[in-house]
Amino acid sequence: MPSNQVDLIASYWTIAGDTYPGAQSEISPYTLQERAEAASKAGWRGMGLVYSDIVHSIEKLGLPTVRQIFQDNGMKHLEVEFLIDWHLACERRSVSDRMCKELLDIAAAVGATRLKCAAGLFEEGDVNVPLMRESFAILCDKAAEYKVNVAIEFLPFSSVNTIDKALAVSEGVRPNGGLMVDSWHIARGGMGFDEISKIPLELIKGVEIDDADLALVGDVFNDSTHHRKCCGEGQLDLPHFVQAILDTGYRGPWGVELISAELRKLPLEVVAKRAFDSTMAQFVHARF
């Protein structure tokens, strides 16, 4: 598969404009139409949809119009996010279950095929692997009814923060359950890209690529939220990451999740094009 056949997904934050995870409002200042048109013009073939923003767009435009926007702009890969607390046994779990139902209903309505989630966000201590596997099975079974895959992001600021822990939670649970493998999360989690070879192909439910400097800016969550970089503009060896992913046999779409205080201030079309072109450059020497 030559690089000109690589499909890239503009993950929500990449083209959301002046907002970020945990902001007072996570709703993009740009309309869904504006973002889809800018993405299509730059070459993207998919988009990420964050809960508050896609609910807002559906309430404002209606589902038929939202579906048409994606179709008109060639967005064939859609994903919904971001589910947390699905493994807990408290009121937060009830809130998570309600959001899960809404996200899956939205996924079915617009044609999204992936639900992104995190396990143990901002939790410390050992992972209760049997309990989390049981909860993950329940989540995957819910998603399977909608023909949706569930991808756990192993984040450096979650209790499931390494490839080994993520495998312990997800391996052999359900066919539609697995992992989102993100270059930034691997690097900031203290792992090397060679460790990707541990992950069986069937567990790779999605891939995301973005860059970073070697040194953190503030703590890891601050760095994640405000200081990610376009591919090739940081210090990570992203061609190595690309090859490690390809060597697993993965040939699906690649998400690009840029959460950057610098980039979110730039014009939408500028960011969409810069992010797309810089990512495609990482595939030039890849062996498919």
Side-chain angles (χ1 to χ4, degrees):
M1 184 174 66
S3 60
N4 63 6
Q5 293 181 5
V6 172
D7 281 355
L8 296 185
I9 298 172
S11 300
Y12 176 74
W13 303 109
T14 299
I15 56 172
D18 196 10
T19 185
Y20 53 89
Q24 185 173 0
S25 172
E26 295 185 349
I27 297 173
S28 174
Y30 300 118
T31 67
L32 186 65
Q33 180 82 37
E34 289 170 333
R35 282 173 279 152
E37 289 180 352
S40 180
K41 182 178 179 181
W44 302 91
R45 291 297 173 261
M47 291 174 63
L49 314 173
V50 153
Y51 173 78
S52 58
D53 183 84
I54 190 60
V55 168
H56 172 77
S57 294
I58 291 171
E59 289 176 349
K60 186 175 181 180
L61 302 172
L63 269 171
T65 299
V66 167
R67 282 196 300 266
Q68 197 62 50
I69 287 171
F70 294 136
Q71 292 171 9
D72 289 348
N73 289 283
M75 297 296 113
K76 62 180 182 178
H77 307 291
L78 299 173
E79 60 189 17
V80 294
E81 59 172 308
F82 190 65
L83 191 70
I84 60 173
D85 297 338
W86 47 268
H87 64 295
L88 300 178
C90 60
E91 176 57 27
R92 284 163 55 188
R93 170 68 175 268
S94 299
V95 174
S96 177
D97 286 346
R98 289 193 293 271
M99 179 183 282
C100 179
K101 177 65 164 58
E102 287 189 73
L103 285 171
L104 290 173
D105 285 340
I106 290 168
V110 302
T113 57
R114 177 164 56 232
L115 168 63
K116 292 167 60 177
C117 67
L121 193 63
F122 300 113
E123 292 178 14
E124 298 180 355
D126 293 333
V127 178
N128 186 332
V129 172
L131 179 60
M132 197 167 280
R133 284 175 63 86
E134 181 181 330
S135 297
F136 191 52
I138 293 170
L139 175 57
C140 290
D141 287 344
K142 292 177 182 178
E145 296 180 14
Y146 295 82
K147 296 181 172 56
V148 169
N149 289 329
V150 184
I152 296 176
E153 296 202 59
F154 46 98
L155 310 171
F157 38 86
S158 71
S159 58
V160 179
N161 52 13
T162 67
I163 289 173
D164 289 341
K165 289 179 181 178
L167 289 174
V169 169
S170 64
E171 195 162 18
V173 173
R174 292 292 188 270
N176 67 320
L179 306 178
M180 175 66 74
V181 187
D182 185 305
S183 59
W184 193 97
H185 299 154
I186 290 175
R188 287 298 190 238
M191 294 161 278
F193 294 150
D194 287 340
E195 291 190 55
I196 291 168
S197 63
K198 297 178 181 179
I199 308 174
L201 174 59
E202 63 270 17
L203 278 186
I204 301 179
K205 300 305 181 186
V207 175
E208 289 183 338
I209 180 170
D210 50 330
D211 213 338
D213 288 333
L214 296 182
L216 280 172
V217 180
D219 62 24
V220 69
F221 185 72
N222 178 76
D223 195 74
S224 170
T225 307
H226 303 297
H227 297 285
R228 301 195 194 196
K229 292 182 175 293
C230 285
C231 297
E233 297 181 10
Q235 296 173 291
L236 304 185
D237 187 356
L238 294 183
H240 183 185
F241 173 78
V242 166
Q243 194 59 57
I245 293 290
L246 291 173
D247 287 348
T248 69
Y250 181 81
R251 294 296 184 271
W254 299 66
V256 181
E257 189 170 52
L258 293 171
I259 315 176
S260 162
E262 174 192 355
L263 293 173
R264 70 176 68 113
K265 301 291 187 180
L266 298 178
L268 174 59
E269 289 195 355
V270 171
V271 172
K273 183 63 172 170
R274 178 172 160 186
F276 181 86
D277 288 347
S278 62
T279 303
M280 291 302 296
Q282 307 310 306
F283 293 85
V284 169
H285 300 296
R287 300 182 305 277
F288 288 88

